[in-house]
Amino acid sequence: MSTTKEERALLVSTVADLIGRHAGPEAVRAALDSERGYDERLWQLLCEQVGAAALVVPEDLGGAGGGLIDAAAVLAELARHLVPSPLLGSTLAELALLSVEEPDGDTLGALAEGSSIGAVVFDPEVVAGGDVADVVIGAADGTLTRWTAFDAHPLPTMDPTRRLSRLTPRETVPLGTDPGLADLAALLLAAEQVGAATRCLELTVAYAKERVQFGRPIGSFQALKHRMADLYVLVQTAGAVVDAALADPSPESAALAHVTATEAFGAVAGEAIQIHGGIAITWECDIQLYFKRAHGSAQLLGTVGDALRRLEPVALA
């Protein structure tokens, strides 16, 4: 069962406090260049103090007994500051293991405490976090398999905040029927996108109040006010769609959340680059990282066009 709204707000507040103390812009950049691509100390704190990796795992299996919406809230807060972490992959691996008739309690316990890292393979050519995962689940043709032995080959990626790998299985074990992991992944990714888009817009509004042209802050120009107001509506709408989908997950709601969040984040990141001007593409500016995250996330689980095609039968019904 999920937490209450108040408990979830406290959860997010605790995550935000940890990020504020341990994941400033310099720390995020240092994590990107680290061996595993994320801050291992921060990951440990998130698991120990927040139970971030245990949220979707039942208490009798070593978890926190929360739900998908709780994991989405934490992922969104991490994404606000582009904090790299293995949480998405581990959460999906846990959901996969929980869907089988006899869940592997030992593996789930290790994932829940953060000592093991999970990844789910939808496309073996592009796997998020595959290079650091030790629990790998394949989801293909309606079935799940546990990859007990595999080779990982890191891939170059435009988005440095999310490492990708190509995985090749050597030994696999059948697990059972796929419960629709791709839809759950789309929902969690959409929550990330809304979190990142929200922060990207906040940074852009703040910059527009500071940057001066023709003797005035550019944020005072009517045209920019309208553009940023439109972006705000776009992000708020995406957030509402994602929240509704998390409350009632289905293939259709997941596809709609994916489309809405992807388009909102892409639009905000693109406008942020324009409003910041030349400084936006410098390494020191965070906006270029949000822009890269927006484009990387838009391709991670298939394109908007793929999601729209899944929605066509619903629209025609």
Side-chain angles (χ1 to χ4, degrees), residues 8 17 25 29 36 71 82 87 93-94 156-157 159 178 186 244 249 256 289 316:
R8 197 153 52 251
D17 181 61
R29 283 164 171 75
R36 294 178 69 85
L82 301 182
L87 183 57
E94 290 165 348
T157 174
D159 175 14
D178 182 358
L256 184 59
L289 292 176
L316 295 172

Short mmCIF file of all heavy atoms in Angstrom, two decimals, residues 8 17 25 29 36 71 82 87 93-94 156-157 159 178 186 244 249 256 289 316:
data_model
loop_
_atom_site.label_atom_id
_atom_site.label_comp_id
_atom_site.label_asym_id
_atom_site.label_seq_id
_atom_site.Cartn_x
_atom_site.Cartn_y
_atom_site.Cartn_z
N ARG A 8 4.19 11.10 2.29
CA ARG A 8 4.96 11.23 1.05
C ARG A 8 5.65 12.60 1.00
O ARG A 8 6.79 12.71 0.54
CB ARG A 8 4.06 11.03 -0.15
CG ARG A 8 4.79 10.74 -1.44
CD ARG A 8 3.95 9.94 -2.40
NE ARG A 8 2.65 10.52 -2.65
CZ ARG A 8 1.49 10.00 -2.21
NH1 ARG A 8 1.48 8.88 -1.50
NH2 ARG A 8 0.35 10.58 -2.49
N ASP A 17 16.47 17.33 1.62
CA ASP A 17 17.47 17.75 2.60
C ASP A 17 18.81 17.05 2.34
O ASP A 17 19.87 17.69 2.40
CB ASP A 17 16.98 17.42 4.00
CG ASP A 17 17.96 17.85 5.08
OD1 ASP A 17 18.24 19.05 5.17
OD2 ASP A 17 18.47 16.97 5.80
N PRO A 25 25.67 21.25 -7.29
CA PRO A 25 26.16 21.12 -8.68
C PRO A 25 27.56 20.52 -8.79
O PRO A 25 27.82 19.69 -9.66
CB PRO A 25 26.11 22.57 -9.18
CG PRO A 25 25.01 23.21 -8.38
CD PRO A 25 25.12 22.58 -7.02
N ARG A 29 28.54 16.85 -10.57
CA ARG A 29 29.54 16.71 -11.63
C ARG A 29 30.64 15.73 -11.25
O ARG A 29 31.14 14.97 -12.08
CB ARG A 29 30.12 18.08 -11.98
CG ARG A 29 29.18 18.92 -12.85
CD ARG A 29 29.58 20.38 -12.85
NE ARG A 29 28.82 21.15 -13.83
CZ ARG A 29 27.56 21.52 -13.68
NH1 ARG A 29 26.90 21.17 -12.59
NH2 ARG A 29 26.95 22.23 -14.62
N ARG A 36 31.45 4.54 -10.82
CA ARG A 36 30.12 3.95 -10.96
C ARG A 36 29.09 4.93 -11.51
O ARG A 36 27.95 4.55 -11.75
CB ARG A 36 29.65 3.38 -9.62
CG ARG A 36 30.50 2.20 -9.16
CD ARG A 36 30.06 1.67 -7.82
NE ARG A 36 28.76 1.02 -7.87
CZ ARG A 36 28.56 -0.25 -8.21
NH1 ARG A 36 29.58 -1.01 -8.57
NH2 ARG A 36 27.34 -0.76 -8.20
N ALA A 71 7.86 5.68 -4.87
CA ALA A 71 9.12 5.62 -5.63
C ALA A 71 9.16 6.75 -6.66
O ALA A 71 10.21 7.37 -6.87
CB ALA A 71 9.24 4.26 -6.31
N LEU A 82 19.04 16.55 -11.01
CA LEU A 82 19.80 15.68 -11.90
C LEU A 82 20.80 14.81 -11.14
O LEU A 82 21.91 14.54 -11.61
CB LEU A 82 20.53 16.50 -12.97
CG LEU A 82 19.65 17.35 -13.88
CD1 LEU A 82 20.50 18.06 -14.92
CD2 LEU A 82 18.58 16.50 -14.58
N LEU A 87 18.43 4.21 -8.71
CA LEU A 87 17.11 3.94 -8.13
C LEU A 87 16.10 3.44 -9.15
O LEU A 87 15.32 2.53 -8.87
CB LEU A 87 16.57 5.19 -7.43
CG LEU A 87 15.23 5.03 -6.72
CD1 LEU A 87 15.27 3.91 -5.69
CD2 LEU A 87 14.81 6.35 -6.08
N ALA A 93 13.56 -3.60 -11.14
CA ALA A 93 13.95 -4.98 -10.88
C ALA A 93 13.14 -5.56 -9.73
O ALA A 93 12.71 -6.72 -9.76
CB ALA A 93 15.44 -5.06 -10.58
N GLU A 94 12.89 -4.74 -8.71
CA GLU A 94 12.08 -5.19 -7.57
C GLU A 94 10.65 -5.48 -8.01
O GLU A 94 10.05 -6.51 -7.62
CB GLU A 94 12.10 -4.13 -6.48
CG GLU A 94 13.43 -3.98 -5.79
CD GLU A 94 13.56 -2.72 -4.97
OE1 GLU A 94 12.69 -1.83 -5.11
OE2 GLU A 94 14.51 -2.62 -4.20
N PRO A 156 28.51 5.30 -25.27
CA PRO A 156 28.56 6.77 -25.22
C PRO A 156 27.15 7.32 -25.20
O PRO A 156 26.24 6.76 -25.84
CB PRO A 156 29.29 7.14 -26.51
CG PRO A 156 29.05 5.99 -27.43
CD PRO A 156 28.98 4.77 -26.56
N THR A 157 26.93 8.40 -24.45
CA THR A 157 25.59 8.95 -24.36
C THR A 157 25.66 10.47 -24.27
O THR A 157 26.60 11.02 -23.70
CB THR A 157 24.84 8.41 -23.12
OG1 THR A 157 23.59 9.08 -22.98
CG2 THR A 157 25.65 8.60 -21.85
N ASP A 159 23.60 12.28 -22.58
CA ASP A 159 23.21 12.66 -21.23
C ASP A 159 24.17 12.03 -20.22
O ASP A 159 24.09 10.83 -19.94
CB ASP A 159 21.78 12.18 -20.96
CG ASP A 159 21.34 12.43 -19.53
OD1 ASP A 159 22.03 13.20 -18.82
OD2 ASP A 159 20.32 11.85 -19.12
N ASP A 178 5.45 -11.21 -17.78
CA ASP A 178 5.73 -9.78 -17.61
C ASP A 178 4.45 -9.07 -17.17
O ASP A 178 3.43 -9.12 -17.86
CB ASP A 178 6.22 -9.21 -18.95
CG ASP A 178 6.57 -7.73 -18.87
OD1 ASP A 178 6.40 -7.13 -17.79
OD2 ASP A 178 7.02 -7.18 -19.90
N ALA A 186 7.62 3.56 -17.81
CA ALA A 186 7.20 4.82 -18.44
C ALA A 186 6.64 5.79 -17.40
O ALA A 186 6.89 7.01 -17.47
CB ALA A 186 6.17 4.55 -19.52
N ALA A 244 -2.27 11.39 -12.04
CA ALA A 244 -3.47 10.59 -12.29
C ALA A 244 -3.10 9.19 -12.78
O ALA A 244 -3.74 8.21 -12.39
CB ALA A 244 -4.35 11.30 -13.32
N PRO A 249 -2.71 3.11 -12.65
CA PRO A 249 -1.82 2.70 -13.75
C PRO A 249 -2.52 1.79 -14.75
O PRO A 249 -3.29 0.90 -14.38
CB PRO A 249 -0.68 1.96 -13.04
CG PRO A 249 -0.78 2.34 -11.60
CD PRO A 249 -2.23 2.61 -11.35
N LEU A 256 0.01 7.95 -22.07
CA LEU A 256 -0.36 9.36 -22.03
C LEU A 256 0.61 10.15 -21.15
O LEU A 256 1.02 11.26 -21.50
CB LEU A 256 -1.79 9.51 -21.51
CG LEU A 256 -2.37 10.93 -21.50
CD1 LEU A 256 -2.37 11.53 -22.90
CD2 LEU A 256 -3.78 10.92 -20.92
N LEU A 289 22.81 20.50 -18.91
CA LEU A 289 22.56 19.14 -18.40
C LEU A 289 21.08 18.80 -18.45
O LEU A 289 20.70 17.66 -18.75
CB LEU A 289 23.10 19.02 -16.97
CG LEU A 289 24.62 19.07 -16.81
CD1 LEU A 289 24.99 19.03 -15.33
CD2 LEU A 289 25.28 17.91 -17.55
N LEU A 316 -9.67 5.85 -31.03
CA LEU A 316 -10.62 5.47 -32.05
C LEU A 316 -11.81 4.67 -31.51
O LEU A 316 -12.79 4.46 -32.21
CB LEU A 316 -9.91 4.62 -33.14
CG LEU A 316 -8.83 5.37 -33.94
CD1 LEU A 316 -8.08 4.39 -34.84
CD2 LEU A 316 -9.44 6.48 -34.76
#
